[in-house]
Amino acid sequence: SYYPLTGMSKEVQQKLIDDHFLFKEGDRFLQAANACRYWPAGRGIYHNDNKTFLVWVNEEDHLRIISMQMGGDLGQVFRRLTSAVNEIEKRIPFSHHDRLGFLTFCPTNLGTTVRASVHIKLPKLAANREKLEEVAGKYNLQVRGTRGEHTEAEGGIYDISNKRRMGLTEFQAVKEMQDGILELIKMEKEM
């Protein structure tokens, strides 16, 4: 079902934002890039009943396709994503460049455009954020706040994702994130 921002009550919108299902009005970086004009017109979200598959419309990219769920079954999340992307691509062509890969609003997402992330609590590693960043960097991971880039961790929970999106396949990007997360968990348990 599609839920446009225009006409959505503030309560429903805030609940979706708080539950990490919906984007909020652009941050200062998106505003500086002029990505928030005419807010909220032409923006909204598609989601299934379980909210395990979402498509953000005109948040930053034209479409941001998201597969997510609680737990650690990355295979199920990835299969849902690839199945949906293949169905969408039958109807809407994605912009692609032979050298740069898929084209997006944010240049850091060029290539596969896949940002595979896990929300995880690592209290021992996170006691020293600089150390957490250093260890994550060894595994090509990016540490972000609970609500993504330019946010803080809430309740000690971090959003950790693959840093690389160019020069590897979508599967390799997800696998790199998974391998790095498993190493971080191992290190946390050993501390």
Side-chain angles (χ1 to χ4, degrees):
S1 299
Y2 180 66
Y3 304 90
L5 290 189
T6 307
M8 183 183 289
S9 75
K10 290 293 180 196
E11 295 78 23
V12 168
Q13 190 174 359
Q14 192 58 53
K15 174 78 171 129
L16 288 170
I17 290 169
D18 291 344
D19 292 342
H20 304 281
F21 297 122
L22 182 63
F23 53 90
K24 56 185 174 186
E25 189 166 356
D27 63 22
R28 64 188 169 101
F29 299 98
L30 290 178
Q31 289 171 345
N34 211 10
C36 304
R37 288 180 295 177
Y38 314 114
W39 195 276
R43 292 171 170 86
I45 179 175
Y46 287 95
H47 66 74
N48 62 359
D49 290 340
N50 297 345
K51 295 185 182 121
T52 56
F53 182 75
L54 310 104
V55 179
W56 290 355
V57 178
N58 292 325
E59 177 255 358
E60 182 175 327
D61 294 303
H62 293 295
L63 299 177
R64 178 156 301 169
I65 304 164
I66 303 166
S67 178
M68 60 191 271
Q69 69 188 44
M70 297 294 284
D73 192 343
L74 291 176
Q76 187 176 33
V77 173
F78 188 70
R79 284 188 299 278
R80 181 185 315 111
L81 178 68
T82 55
S83 173
V85 166
N86 288 332
E87 285 302 313
I88 292 169
E89 195 170 26
K90 288 177 187 176
R91 295 160 178 81
I92 304 169
F94 296 121
S95 296
H96 189 271
H97 184 276
D98 289 341
R99 185 173 61 84
L100 301 175
F102 291 100
L103 304 177
T104 67
F105 182 82
C106 181
T108 64
N109 290 330
L110 290 174
T112 64
T113 71
V114 171
R115 178 184 296 275
S117 66
V118 171
H119 281 196
I120 189 167
K121 195 171 196 173
L122 300 165
K124 294 173 187 168
L125 278 171
N128 181 345
R129 175 72 187 253
E130 200 171 291
K131 178 70 174 170
L132 175 60
E133 294 277 358
E134 178 188 325
V135 172
K138 289 179 184 174
Y139 298 100
N140 295 312
L141 299 177
Q142 180 180 12
V143 179
R144 304 183 310 163
T146 309
R147 296 182 185 276
E149 228 161 7
H150 314 297
T151 67
E152 295 299 318
E154 296 171 7
I157 297 172
Y158 291 89
D159 178 318
I160 301 181
S161 59
N162 59 302
K163 194 182 288 185
R164 300 183 324 144
R165 285 175 272 294
M166 289 188 100
L168 66 171
T169 68
E170 290 84 352
F171 178 82
Q172 289 169 327
V174 174
K175 180 81 169 100
E176 189 168 81
M177 184 276 303
Q178 180 183 24
D179 292 346
I181 289 291
L182 291 173
E183 283 299 317
L184 290 175
I185 291 169
K186 181 180 167 191
M187 291 176 75
E188 178 76 13
K189 288 180 177 177
E190 291 173 353
M191 292 180 86

